[in-house]
Amino acid sequence: MSANGSSLRPEADVLIVGGGFAGLYALYKLRSEGFSAQLLEANNGLGGVWYANRYPGARCDTPSLQYSFSFSDELQQEWHWPEAYSSQKDILRYVDYVVEKYGLRPFIACGQRVTRAAFDETANFWTVDTADGQRRSAKFLVMATGCLSATFDPPLRGLAEFKGDVVRTSDWPLSGFSVEGKAVALVGTGSSGVQATPLLAQQARRLFVVQRTPNYSIPLRNRTLDVSDPSVRDWKENYASRREAALRTGGYELYLGPAPIPGCLVSEEEREQEFERRWAMGGGLSFMSTYSDMKSDPEVNAQASNFIRRKIRETVKDPHVAERLVPEIALGAKRICADTGYYETFNRPNVDLIDLRSEPLVTVTADSLRTTARDVKVDTIVLALGFDAVTGAFSKIDIQGRSGRRLAEAWQAGPSTYLGMTIAGFPNMFLVTGPGSPSILTNGVISGEQGVNWIAECLAMLRQRNLERIEATPSAQARWVDHVNAIGAGSLLHTANSYAVGANVPGKPRCILPYAGSASSYRELCATIAADSYRGFSLR
Ligand code: NAP
């Protein structure tokens, strides 16, 4: 028996934690490469965040022809997305289809929440414990736990006293939950809250939208897609080159149209016309791709921000409400939202805005939200408070590396990784879309594939060279963290309090969580490091 109490031979080559897009692709890829891989998923079903986020209005705001696996042309040709931006239901249908098509089911265990993972230094493998008391072992651990998957307990004073229903968008009741005829407070106006608002308003008797910081939202302008739709046929005929082109973009998302030029090179009038055109087209990707300097040129950024502010004022009839919905932050400082009738919803007689900047929440009571200005009686509270992003899923597992060093301790002041995929002191463990990778700033499906491909290549190299262990060196990791911080310092992300800097979770150290440079440069860097004999890693 080894120090961890397991037999000296691990049961599998690889244990994958997480059954979202990245984990499922890891399972497919690693098994195709001849590794014995198993996947553990905490939920009772697959799809990761898409399994849990069943709130009314949940849909992907990246075009589905792009927010889908790219690894198999057969798959992308045969699958039909019925809408340009798919509903959560259709995304799960797709996930199931992929699992069945590639025969992945026998290698997956659902309802297995990983609570502890420890590296056995003597035998060079990981033992992994699940909440039901089982212990498994594998030579390598792939953490595909998601960068927007970990919920966190809301610090809303008095919430425990509330006698009505409290539901979260991030783990909406599986059995369904209706707000029909109810008085509802929806707290949070990020992508989830913005998507849920119009649908909750249609069902509820009264809806109070509780906003702390207004953000920008663009009309999604979703539409149904017929198999014979020319745009679908065009994508399918050109899928290979489009996927390639997407990998060369900053976020692995391709906007079809002329390559964006810097907005600073054209007149203000021309920019205004182009913003109008993009607004009419719909979608955050289209709007943010208008100019290459949307986030970097202060004048272009201010004009784009003001353009949306004007749209909000034009849409919302009550000028007082409109003014409170107008964001102060710069466009791009937080991820832009995409909606279907969000601002219009505030024109409904049953909808009210509670702006916490002008009327801070004093407490939740048994039957109300008490602000400094009023007592708002509600019978349901919907929390759309987001996620403990990027690092949250790791914090929920007791991860112990070499010499029993805990990840929680190593990351006390903020996460440190090498390439966002490995951690010094934690050999043979890989993170997919981890901190220090572009993760939340990209098309997550493609980012997952990129990370998994790199990991699979690395494992194949270790196998080929008969090596037992790979670990980031502390110096390479320190240089990577400096690089991530330097790039992050030049980005707009630092100018707002968002999950990208850990500001939404009380007590979380404020630091830039994603790699804020271009995803395509990141991908090249990862490939270069691998080609350079895995520079920055110790191998043995
Ligand atoms: P989010 O963007 O982090 O928004 C959370 C909201 O809750 C914010 O408005 C935040 O206000 C508010 N909030 C947090 N703590 C609060 C508190 N104590 N009191 C009052 N308000 C509080 O979370 P999300 O909407 O779930 O979206 C997260 C990310 O998930 C998105 O950016 C996107 O990447 C992804 N997502 C994607 C889709 C899609 O593809 N369609 C849909 C949903 C989510 P502050 O801004 O003041 O912190």
Side-chain angles (χ1 to χ4, degrees):
M1 297 288 270
S2 73
N4 280 324
S6 307
S7 64
L8 282 173
R9 282 179 63 78
E11 294 153 29
D13 293 329
V14 190
L15 262 181
I16 299 157
V17 185
F21 275 86
L24 291 172
Y25 176 58
L27 185 63
Y28 162 79
K29 176 76 178 166
L30 294 170
R31 292 201 71 86
S32 320
E33 303 277 329
F35 293 99
S36 64
Q38 306 275 342
L39 187 150
L40 302 176
E41 164 58 51
N43 290 324
N44 288 322
L46 299 168
V49 71
W50 292 110
Y51 178 84
N53 283 237
R54 291 164 187 257
Y55 59 86
R59 67 173 62 250
C60 183
D61 60 12
T62 299
S64 292
L65 282 154
Q66 300 200 56
Y67 190 88
S68 47
F69 287 123
S70 71
F71 68 85
S72 158
D73 194 47
E74 188 179 284
L75 172 65
Q76 62 192 11
Q77 292 299 337
E78 70 193 15
W79 180 261
H80 175 64
W81 291 108
E83 292 178 276
Y85 299 94
S86 291
S87 67
Q88 174 266 351
K89 238 185 192 154
D90 277 334
I91 295 172
L92 286 197
R93 216 166 42 80
Y94 173 75
V95 165
D96 274 345
Y97 181 81
V98 172
V99 169
E100 295 311 324
K101 179 176 171 70
Y102 295 102
L104 302 178
R105 194 79 65 186
F107 313 108
I108 296 172
C110 285
Q112 296 288 303
R113 179 164 295 284
V114 172
T115 51
R116 175 180 174 272
F119 186 67
D120 186 319
E121 283 188 69
T122 329
N124 283 326
F125 64 74
W126 284 88
T127 53
V128 173
D129 297 346
T130 45
D132 62 355
Q134 292 192 62
R135 174 165 288 185
R136 296 173 175 83
S137 58
K139 198 163 166 191
F140 300 101
L141 189 59
V142 172
M143 301 296 289
T145 39
C147 41
L148 290 165
S149 57
T151 52
F152 68 100
D153 286 328
L156 294 183
R157 179 182 296 173
L159 188 63
E161 309 307 315
F162 187 65
K163 296 278 184 273
D165 291 314
V166 179
V167 288
R168 288 175 173 155
T169 51
S170 53
D171 56 7
W172 199 258
L174 275 181
S175 51
F177 181 84
S178 170
V179 297
E180 200 74 48
K182 294 183 175 158
V184 179
L186 165 71
V187 191
T189 55
S191 296
S192 305
V194 161
Q195 282 188 340
T197 293
L199 285 132
L200 294 177
Q202 283 166 27
Q203 294 171 10
R205 179 167 46 83
R206 290 294 312 269
L207 176 67
F208 299 90
V209 178
V210 183
Q211 167 191 270
R212 190 166 70 176
T213 314
N215 195 5
Y216 296 90
S217 188
I218 298 282
L220 188 63
R221 306 203 196 282
N222 187 26
R223 62 188 183 96
T224 54
L225 292 179
D226 193 75
V227 192
S228 58
D229 189 297
S231 70
V232 174
R233 287 187 19 211
D234 180 45
W235 264 95
K236 293 209 171 185
E237 280 162 19
N238 296 288
Y239 239 138
S241 60
R242 299 259 163 95
R243 294 289 199 183
E244 267 304 307
L247 286 176
R248 292 194 296 274
T249 66
Y252 301 146
E253 289 173 340
L254 186 64
Y255 171 70
L256 278 192
I261 53 162
C264 62
L265 298 183
V266 299
S267 69
E268 202 179 316
E269 291 71 34
E270 198 175 316
R271 290 199 296 256
E272 200 68 8
Q273 278 172 17
E274 193 54 28
F275 290 145
E276 279 292 357
R277 205 174 70 79
R278 303 285 180 135
W279 181 267
M281 281 167 64
L285 173 59
S286 152
F287 197 83
M288 293 310 286
S289 312
T290 310
Y291 296 110
S292 58
D293 52 1
M294 287 280 277
K295 291 190 199 166
S296 55
D297 185 284
E299 195 181 310
V300 175
N301 184 270
Q303 191 183 344
S305 305
N306 285 332
F307 175 87
I308 304 177
R309 290 177 182 133
R310 179 166 60 75
K311 287 290 183 193
I312 299 169
R313 291 185 177 108
E314 282 170 10
T315 309
V316 179
K317 292 193 179 122
D318 180 333
H320 182 60
V321 176
E323 227 35 63
R324 290 182 291 160
L325 287 167
V326 164
E328 287 158 358
I329 57 172
L331 177 67
K334 287 189 181 186
R335 186 183 185 277
I336 194 168
C337 301
D339 70 276
T340 303
Y342 177 65
Y343 294 117
E344 290 82 348
T345 299
F346 291 93
N347 296 330
R348 292 176 66 107
N350 68 331
V351 176
D352 198 348
L353 178 67
I354 299 180
D355 179 14
L356 296 180
R357 295 166 305 170
S358 52
E359 48 171 320
L361 185 68
V362 177
T363 187
V364 177
T365 73
D367 62 355
S368 71
L369 259 67
R370 185 169 300 150
T371 72
T372 50
R374 52 186 159 156
D375 209 18
V376 180
K377 294 265 187 256
V378 290
D379 37 40
T380 301
I381 298 179
V382 175
L383 301 173
L385 298 177
F387 302 91
D388 182 353
V390 188
T391 54
F394 300 104
S395 318
K396 293 190 172 189
I397 303 173
D398 178 16
I399 301 177
Q400 298 172 26
R402 272 195 296 108
S403 317
R405 177 121 204 259
R406 291 199 142 87
L407 186 62
E409 194 188 306
W411 282 6
Q412 207 164 26
S416 299
T417 67
Y418 184 36
L419 302 179
M421 287 195 273
T422 57
I423 308 167
F426 296 79
N428 292 4
M429 179 171 85
F430 296 90
L431 324 178
V432 190
T433 62
S437 80
S439 60
I440 50 175
L441 304 178
T442 62
N443 175 343
V445 181
I446 306 301
S447 258
E449 285 186 336
Q450 181 272 334
V452 167
N453 287 338
W454 191 94
I455 293 163
E457 202 181 300
C458 175
L459 295 191
M461 174 278 295
L462 295 170
R463 179 174 59 188
Q464 202 224 336
R465 292 173 57 188
N466 221 6
L467 295 168
E468 291 292 309
R469 220 199 243 200
I470 180 163
E471 183 183 343
T473 64
S475 56
Q477 177 165 293
R479 280 196 301 277
W480 183 254
V481 171
D482 286 349
H483 176 58
V484 170
N485 288 340
I487 291 184
S491 87
L492 278 177
L493 295 176
H494 266 306
T495 64
N497 290 325
S498 77
Y499 62 79
V501 292
N504 62 328
V505 180
K508 188 166 175 173
R510 188 183 177 108
C511 60
I512 190 91
L513 293 169
Y515 175 89
S518 145
S520 108
S521 317
Y522 166 82
R523 183 170 158 267
E524 275 169 32
L525 258 168
C526 294
T528 307
I529 283 164
D532 192 8
S533 309
Y534 288 85
R535 177 169 21 105
F537 289 98
S538 80
L539 306 171
R540 55 182 254 208

